Structure formats: structure tokens, C-alpha cells
Amino acid sequence: MLTSEILSGWLAWAQPLLAPWWTAWGVPVSYLEALAFVLSLWMVVCNLRVNPLGWPLAIASSLLYGILFAQFGLYGEASLQLVFVAMAVWGWWQWLWGVDEQQQVLKVRTLSTQGRLLSMVVLLMLWPVLGWLLDHITDSTVPYWDALPTAGSLIGQWLLGRKWVDNWPCWLAVNVISMGLFAYKALWLTVILYGIFAVLSVVGWRQWLSLAVQGKARA
């Protein structure tokens, strides 16, 4: 079992960053959470603009949130951040040098109905598997609740890396569910961040749909 004691020892070096900076609603906000908040917002703005700078920002913010979530016992979310780092490297490469199915430079486009159904099937398969793993190899108090946004985030990250418009409704669902999860753990600054993410997901959805239509028109 992964215990909070083991993780606390491993994260001892990060304790200065986890020290309270200010208090919001009676809950202390750490330097680390505040920095991760700023980097994450900057990342999403870059994604909205289809700017590759979003990927190195994603790497930095994911590392910070991995430390934060582990400290609060959200092991699924913490492990997910390490996966995000690897996927961010992959996504960065995709946006710079990736090609689509016709060997053309990647552009913003929409999934087919079959692609959406496949994404949903993958989600329904990943969710219980990840929930079972969290329930059996960690001391998480919310294994299946933690697993749902974890599974959705993996799918959303892949869709984003391949410039599918459908990454935005996926992130919208993930962000709304995550807000409840983080509120349960009293991570209020992160709740606000994910609320902003939810709004930006709608903005990104509309903006990328417009880009996809423009791309089809040019084609």
C-alpha cells in the first residue's frame, strides 16, 4: 500500500513550497498551489490560441500539481500528472512536427461520430480499472471518484495533442467533476482554477470549432 507517511518522507524537500502563503475561506494556500495556478492558466490561454508554448507550461504545472495532490492523498490525480508530463512532451512534438492521417501538417479538426463513440468506450473501460487500482494499491479515500477525471483527462490530453476540437467538451466534463473532488479536499484555490478552466473549455470549444470550419473552407 502507498501510505501518506511514505509520500510525506519522499516529498520532504518540497515542504518549503507547501508552506502557507495566505488563507482563503479559512484554508491555507501554499506557494506551490499559487504558482501552479498561474502556470496552468497561462497554459490554457496558449492552448486556446493553438500556441505550442502551452506544452512546456503543462510540464511545469503538472509537476507542481503532482506534488500538491500527493500531499493531499489524491493519488490518482498525482499519478496522472506524471502521465501528463510524458504526454505533454508527446503533444509538444505533435504540434511542432506531427501529421494527420493524410500526412499533412496537423490542423484543428473534429472527430467523426465513430471517433466520439470510441472515446466514450475507452472512458468506460478506463474508469473502473483505474478506480480498482487506486482502491487496492493506495489509501485513497475516494478511489472511483478520483479515477473518473483521471480517465477523462488521459483521453482529453490525447485529443488535445492531435488537435481534435473534441478535447474541449472532454475537458469541460473533467473540470466540473474535478471541482467537486477538490472541494471535498478543501483545495479552494484549485476549485476556483478548475471553475475558470470550465469556462475556458467552453471558450476553447467555440474557438476551435471556428478554426475547424475555416480549415475546411480553405481545403
Side-chain angles (χ1 to χ4, degrees):
M1 297 284 288
L2 292 173
T3 66
S4 56
E5 290 80 7
I6 293 173
L7 285 170
S8 294
W10 183 73
L11 294 173
W13 64 270
Q15 291 308 310
L17 285 175
L18 291 165
W21 188 9
W22 78 83
T23 299
W25 298 283
V27 177
V29 175
S30 67
Y31 294 95
L32 186 147
E33 187 176 2
L35 179 58
F37 180 100
V38 172
L39 292 178
S40 296
L41 278 180
W42 189 6
M43 172 197 70
V44 175
V45 170
C46 288
N47 289 342
L48 286 171
R49 297 175 178 274
V50 202
N51 185 336
L53 177 61
W55 293 108
L57 291 172
I59 293 171
S61 61
S62 293
L63 289 172
L64 292 176
Y65 270 117
I67 296 169
L68 182 68
F69 295 151
Q71 184 77 6
F72 280 83
L74 294 172
Y75 304 119
E77 291 290 334
S79 301
L80 176 63
Q81 303 312 306
L82 298 178
V83 177
F84 273 176
V85 170
M87 293 191 73
V89 173
W90 169 81
W92 197 0
W93 187 93
Q94 289 290 322
W95 279 30
L96 292 176
W97 298 291
V99 296
D100 61 17
E101 295 75 13
Q102 286 73 45
Q103 299 303 304
Q104 302 296 316
V105 173
L106 276 183
K107 61 182 183 296
V108 173
R109 62 221 196 275
T110 56
L111 274 176
S112 64
T113 301
Q114 182 180 3
R116 294 190 187 104
L117 289 174
L118 179 59
S119 298
M120 184 60 66
V121 169
V122 172
L123 173 65
L124 294 176
M125 292 173 63
L126 271 178
W127 180 16
V129 171
L130 292 175
W132 184 90
L133 287 173
L134 291 175
D135 192 26
H136 285 77
I137 68 173
T138 78
D139 54 3
S140 173
T141 57
V142 285
Y144 288 93
W145 189 6
D146 194 0
L148 179 55
T150 300
S153 295
L154 291 172
I155 295 169
Q157 194 77 340
W158 180 81
L159 293 172
L160 176 63
R162 294 295 294 170
K163 291 190 178 180
W164 295 111
V165 172
D166 309 75
N167 84 89
W168 293 108
C170 182
W171 287 123
L172 176 59
V174 166
N175 292 331
V176 170
I177 295 168
S178 295
M179 287 174 66
L181 180 63
F182 298 139
Y184 178 75
K185 291 292 184 176
L187 291 167
W188 297 113
L189 184 61
T190 304
V191 171
I192 293 172
L193 175 64
Y194 274 70
I196 296 172
F197 279 172
V199 173
L200 291 177
S201 295
V202 176
V203 175
W205 194 357
R206 291 173 58 113
Q207 189 163 320
W208 277 40
L209 277 172
S210 177
L211 291 173
V213 170
Q214 292 173 23
K216 285 183 178 179
R218 285 196 297 270

